[in-house]
């Protein structure tokens, strides 16, 4: 049985036994199940890549929440101030990620961040077409997206 399945089973058991069906209880069960598996790590013959991947996924989630908050503030500030600071543009961002799941995740995380919207993926699946609200320096924006969102997704899916 994979560690991920065991993690889910332990989380569900915690959620069922605790008697409080709330999001906080579910997150607590997930964390406690992770801690139990971490302590029991020597019992498993598998490599510990699961634990490293979980830390990278948590880092991706934290990075996305930070980007979401910062871009929301930037867009809100542009909306409420009398001067217009936006400089919209449609840009092409070359992709380093290769699998469909990674491309899907990068495209959707970019779209979920206020101020940017993924319009399309080219036919060869090696470039995203993005509409950006603040594209004063296109090269800097592409570098920011590649070094930020794409890099975090790529790290989360590493073996």
């Amino acid at each position: 049985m994979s560690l991920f399945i065991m993690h889910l089973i332990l989380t569900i058991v915690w959620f069922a036994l605790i008697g409080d069906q709330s999001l906080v209880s579910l997150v607590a069960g997930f964390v406690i199940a992770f801690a139990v598996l971490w302590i029991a790590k020597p019992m498993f013959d598998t490599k510990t890549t699961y634990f490293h991947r979980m830390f990278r996924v948590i880092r991706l989630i934290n990075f996305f929440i930070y980007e979401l908050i910062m871009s929301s503030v930037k867009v809100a500030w542009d909306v409420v101030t009398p001067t217009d600071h936006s400089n919209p543009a449609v840009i092409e961002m070359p992709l380093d990620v290769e699998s469909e799941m990674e491309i899907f995740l990068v495209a959707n995380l970019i779209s979920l961040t206020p101020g940017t919207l993924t319009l399309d993926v080219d036919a060869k699946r090696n470039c995203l077409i993005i509409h950006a609200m603040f594209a004063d320096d296109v090269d800097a924006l592409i570098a920011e997206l590649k070094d930020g969102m794409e890099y975090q997704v790529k790290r989360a899916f590493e073996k």
Side-chain angles (χ1 to χ4, degrees):
M1 184 181 299
S2 73
L3 287 176
F4 178 69
I5 300 296
M6 289 176 58
H7 193 173
L8 287 179
I9 290 171
L10 288 173
T11 302
I12 292 168
V13 167
W14 168 268
F15 194 63
L17 291 177
I18 198 66
D20 176 28
Q21 276 67 35
S22 66
L23 182 62
V24 174
S25 177
L26 183 64
V27 171
F30 190 81
V31 170
I32 290 170
F34 185 80
V36 167
L37 288 174
W38 181 271
I39 292 168
K41 183 172 51 171
M43 291 176 23
F44 305 111
D45 291 333
T46 61
K47 294 182 180 179
T48 59
T49 57
Y50 175 74
F51 299 105
H52 298 297
R53 182 173 285 180
M54 284 302 296
F55 286 125
R56 291 191 303 252
V57 167
I58 291 169
R59 188 179 304 139
L60 169 65
I61 292 168
N62 287 336
F63 177 80
F64 175 70
I65 290 171
Y66 174 79
E67 286 295 317
L68 182 68
I69 292 169
M70 296 307 291
S71 61
S72 295
V73 168
K74 188 175 183 179
V75 169
W77 182 256
D78 191 49
V79 169
V80 299
T81 56
T83 57
D84 184 22
H85 298 289
S86 67
N87 185 14
V90 175
I91 61 173
E92 287 187 15
M93 183 182 93
L95 290 172
D96 294 332
V97 294
E98 297 172 356
S99 76
E100 287 192 21
M101 184 62 167
E102 291 171 329
I103 294 170
F104 172 78
L105 196 55
V106 169
N108 282 300
L109 289 177
I110 287 173
S111 290
L112 286 172
T113 307
T116 55
L117 176 69
T118 303
L119 300 174
D120 199 9
V121 180
D122 72 342
K124 296 178 184 175
R125 298 196 181 278
N126 60 1
C127 188
L128 285 180
I129 312 298
I130 301 170
H131 178 272
M133 187 173 169
F134 301 101
D136 298 326
D137 185 4
V138 174
D139 294 331
L141 178 62
I142 291 172
E144 180 183 338
L145 289 171
K146 288 189 74 53
D147 295 341
M149 202 69 73
E150 186 183 24
Y151 174 75
Q152 293 295 333
V153 169
K154 192 175 179 181
R155 288 274 297 148
F157 281 89
E158 280 180 353
K159 300 258 183 224

